[in-house]
Amino acid sequence: MITHHPTEEFMVAYAAGTLDEANSLAIAAHLTLCPTCRDEIAVYEALGATLVEELPEAVMAPQALAATLERVRHASRPLATVSSPLPSRHAPTSSIMLPAPLRHYVGGDIGAAKWQVLGPGIHHMPLVASEGVTARLLRIAPGRAVFDHGHGGLELTLVLNGSYQSQGKRFTRGDLEVADENVNHRPVAGMEDVCICLAVTDAPLRFDSWIGRLMQPFIGI
C-alpha cells in the first residue's frame, strides 16, 4: 500500500519533460511501482498533448531536422541516459527488486549493484551526478539509523525494499519522501529486512554530528 507520493509540481514537471535526469529517475521508478500515480501522469501527458496541438505552427529552418539527427549521432552518451527515464507500465514481479528504469543504471537487478561503504551498516552506489543533482542507491542494515541531517535543498527518497521511519511516519516499498530545507530528520531502517532506497539530492546535506561533517567531503552527499 503506497501512501507517500511525489508532489504535484514534480509530477507536472516530469510529464512536461523538464525534470533533470536524477529526479526523473526517481519519479520514473516510483511510477513503475505506483498505479495511482501512473494514472495521474497519464492525465498530465494528455493535457500537455492537447496544449501542444493548439499551438500555432512554427516555420523551421531548412536544415533543422538534419542538424538534430547529427547531434544525436555524435552524443557523448546513449540517448536513453540523457533523456528522462521511462517508467514501466507494469510493476516488477516479486523476484525483481529494482524497477526497470533503475536496472538500466545499475546494470541489472540489486545483485549487480557495486556498493561503497558510507558508515557502519550503511552502503551506497552513486548513479547520477548532473546539473548539481545526484542520485544514489542506499543500503541500510536493519535497525541502523542514518546520521541526523537537514537539507540545503530538496531530497527525494524512494523505498525499494524494507522500510524506514522518519518524523513519525513509516515508508515502505514504493513510498517516496520529499524533504525540503525545513526538514531535519534521522531515518531509521526497519527491523524486518535490509532497507534499499534511491536518494536524490540537489544540494549538500547539513549533518548535525561532527562525524557526518567530517565524512561529507569524501562521500559527496
Side-chain angles (χ1 to χ4, degrees):
M1 189 71 176
I2 298 175
T3 57
H4 302 281
H5 307 274
T7 63
E8 184 177 12
E9 290 78 10
F10 273 109
M11 296 286 280
V12 171
Y14 181 86
T18 58
L19 270 185
D20 58 87
E21 184 180 359
N23 280 302
S24 291
L25 179 59
I27 301 303
H30 174 78
L31 291 174
T32 303
L33 301 173
C34 182
T36 299
C37 286
R38 287 202 299 273
D39 291 341
E40 185 176 343
I41 207 76
V43 174
Y44 291 132
E45 290 173 342
L47 177 61
T50 301
L51 293 175
V52 169
E53 288 178 355
E54 294 178 354
L55 289 175
E57 293 185 2
V59 178
M60 297 180 65
Q63 300 300 318
L65 177 59
T68 300
L69 292 176
E70 187 67 16
R71 289 180 62 187
V72 171
R73 293 190 190 99
H74 292 86
S76 59
R77 291 185 294 169
L79 185 60
T81 66
V82 176
S83 59
S84 297
L86 300 176
S88 167
R89 288 298 174 183
H90 302 283
T93 64
S94 58
S95 62
I96 299 175
M97 181 185 297
L98 298 183
L102 268 174
R103 296 199 300 273
H104 172 79
Y105 284 78
V106 174
D109 200 24
I110 196 65
K114 297 177 176 60
W115 299 108
Q116 303 172 22
V117 176
L118 271 180
I122 305 175
H123 296 74
H124 76 143
M125 177 183 177
L127 300 176
V128 178
S130 177
E131 302 177 35
V133 189
T134 64
R136 69 189 68 237
L137 284 180
L138 292 173
R139 186 179 72 185
I140 308 169
R144 179 68 63 178
V146 177
F147 292 126
D148 288 275
H149 65 274
H151 309 87
L154 288 177
E155 177 186 48
L156 273 61
T157 307
L158 174 67
V159 180
L160 303 167
N161 188 71
S163 68
Y164 73 86
Q165 295 275 349
S166 174
Q167 295 191 301
K169 299 176 182 178
R170 185 169 183 260
F171 296 83
T172 62
R173 180 171 170 81
D175 282 328
L176 187 142
E177 181 183 20
V178 180
D180 60 18
E181 296 94 332
N182 300 313
V183 173
N184 193 289
H185 59 170
R186 183 174 179 261
V188 181
M191 293 298 297
E192 73 280 5
D193 199 354
V194 62
C195 181
I196 305 291
C197 298
L198 171 67
V200 176
T201 54
D202 63 8
L205 301 182
R206 298 195 299 261
F207 289 104
D208 295 344
S209 70
W210 67 269
I211 297 178
R213 293 193 294 270
L214 182 66
M215 293 174 55
Q216 191 165 28
F218 302 98
I219 61 180
I221 298 180

